[in-house]
């Protein structure tokens, strides 16, 4: 009986090890800035809310996910994370980008460009190539936009997962997809202290008279 479950347990342990490695690499390589960590906390809270409502209000969940969670998350990476030589990990930014399992900054630019283009296309063609009945009013526009952003999010996840099946292996793709889906909970745990630390540092820079 023990031998029957030994192989599945060993495989599960291996996958957990890969998940831990991907999470650790993501944290140590791409989350040095306390501002970035704070924005990831905001993103995590927003994504968790989106997860709670996605089955009942998919469009609203997608609007929250892309409009708040993803923008705050990627702003942290693009504007606040240092891109010089990483003294802590003894590697260059280019090396980190090359070994990144998921969406590195170049891939994120493409993904975010698609995200930004969708509302523009929807404004120019309210049917979005025949998918919708043209919207009437802002609320219907936002409903259609949310649904399209939801498809983009799911599509981006599935595309990179399947791509990893071919350029790496199936295990890497499945572990990465699991990491992405559970990142909000992991980021909440990792970065929940970051906003308080950011506030403390900001107050420390103020002149004594202004505190």
């Amino acid at each position: 009986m023990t031998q029957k479950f030994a192989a599945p347990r060993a495989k599960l342990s291996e996958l957990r090890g890969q998940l831990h490695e991907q999470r650790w690499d993501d944290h140590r390589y791409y989350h040095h800035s306390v501002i970035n960590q704070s924005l990831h906390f905001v993103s995590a809270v927003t994504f968790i809310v989106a997860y709670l409502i996605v089955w009942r209000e998919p469009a609203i969940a997608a609007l929250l996910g892309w409009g708040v969670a993803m923008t705050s998350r990627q702003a942290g990476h693009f504007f606040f994370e240092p891109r010089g030589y990483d003294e802590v990990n003894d590697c260059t930014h280019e090396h980190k980008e090359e070994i990144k399992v998921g969406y590195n900054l170049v891939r994120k630019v493409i993904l975010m460009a698609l995200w930004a283009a969708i509302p523009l296309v929807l404004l120019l063609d309210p049917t979005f190539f025949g998918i919708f009945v043209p919207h009437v009013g802002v609320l219907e526009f936002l409903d259609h936009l949310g649904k399209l952003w939801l498809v983009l999010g799911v599509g981006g996840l599935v595309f990179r997962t399947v791509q990893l099946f071919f350029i790496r292996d199936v295990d890497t793709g499945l572990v990465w997809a699991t990491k992405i889906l559970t990142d909000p909970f992991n980021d909440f745990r990792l970065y929940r202290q970051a906003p308080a630390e950011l506030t403390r540092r900001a107050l420390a820079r103020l002149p004594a008279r202004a505190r």
Side-chain angles (χ1 to χ4, degrees):
M1 196 73 167
T2 304
Q3 290 181 344
K4 180 180 179 182
F5 294 102
R9 284 175 180 171
K11 185 64 175 179
L12 184 59
S13 178
E14 180 186 342
L15 293 175
R16 283 175 177 168
Q18 289 186 35
L19 179 60
H20 175 75
E21 181 180 358
Q22 285 192 25
R23 281 178 171 167
W24 172 238
D25 284 347
D26 186 53
H27 170 69
R28 70 188 179 111
Y29 284 146
Y30 288 97
H31 298 87
H32 293 257
S33 166
V34 70
I35 300 177
N36 186 26
Q37 292 178 7
S38 298
L39 289 171
H40 270 62
F41 175 74
V42 172
S43 172
V45 172
T46 308
F47 266 129
I48 290 170
V49 172
Y51 280 3
L52 291 173
I53 67 172
V54 68
W55 301 110
R56 189 174 71 255
E57 298 288 349
I60 295 175
L63 291 171
L64 283 173
W66 279 102
V68 180
M70 277 294 283
T71 52
S72 58
R73 189 180 195 85
Q74 302 313 324
H77 285 301
F78 283 111
F79 302 118
F80 300 106
E81 198 62 28
R83 300 188 193 179
Y85 189 83
D86 187 344
E87 300 286 351
V88 175
N89 298 292
D90 192 26
C91 63
T92 63
H93 175 75
E94 290 72 23
H95 173 72
K96 292 190 288 188
E97 288 290 278
E98 184 180 349
I99 66 172
K100 176 76 171 178
V101 173
Y103 281 87
N104 60 18
L105 292 183
V106 173
R107 299 185 196 108
K108 285 177 180 178
V109 167
I110 296 172
L111 184 64
M112 297 305 288
L114 290 173
W115 164 75
I118 286 175
L120 297 177
V121 175
L122 187 59
L123 283 171
L124 293 172
D125 179 7
T127 71
F128 206 83
F129 309 107
I131 295 176
F132 298 119
V133 174
H135 57 266
V136 178
V138 175
L139 291 181
E140 282 193 11
F141 172 80
L142 291 175
D143 180 69
H144 293 174
L145 178 61
K147 290 173 181 175
L148 291 170
W149 277 352
L150 182 62
V151 171
L152 177 65
V154 174
L157 175 67
V158 172
F159 173 80
R160 184 58 179 171
T161 300
V162 174
Q163 188 181 42
L164 286 170
F165 289 170
F166 291 96
I167 65 176
R168 298 283 186 94
D169 51 64
V170 172
D171 285 356
T172 300
L174 292 176
V175 168
W176 177 78
T178 301
K179 174 189 172 298
I180 292 300
L181 291 171
T182 58
D183 264 351
F185 307 101
N186 190 58
D187 287 351
F188 183 93
R189 178 182 62 84
L190 283 178
Y191 306 127
R192 65 184 184 276
Q193 302 296 334
E197 175 62 17
L198 182 62
T199 302
R200 186 191 67 78
R201 293 185 187 183
L203 290 174
R205 291 192 182 98
L206 290 175
R209 199 181 305 174
R211 294 179 196 175

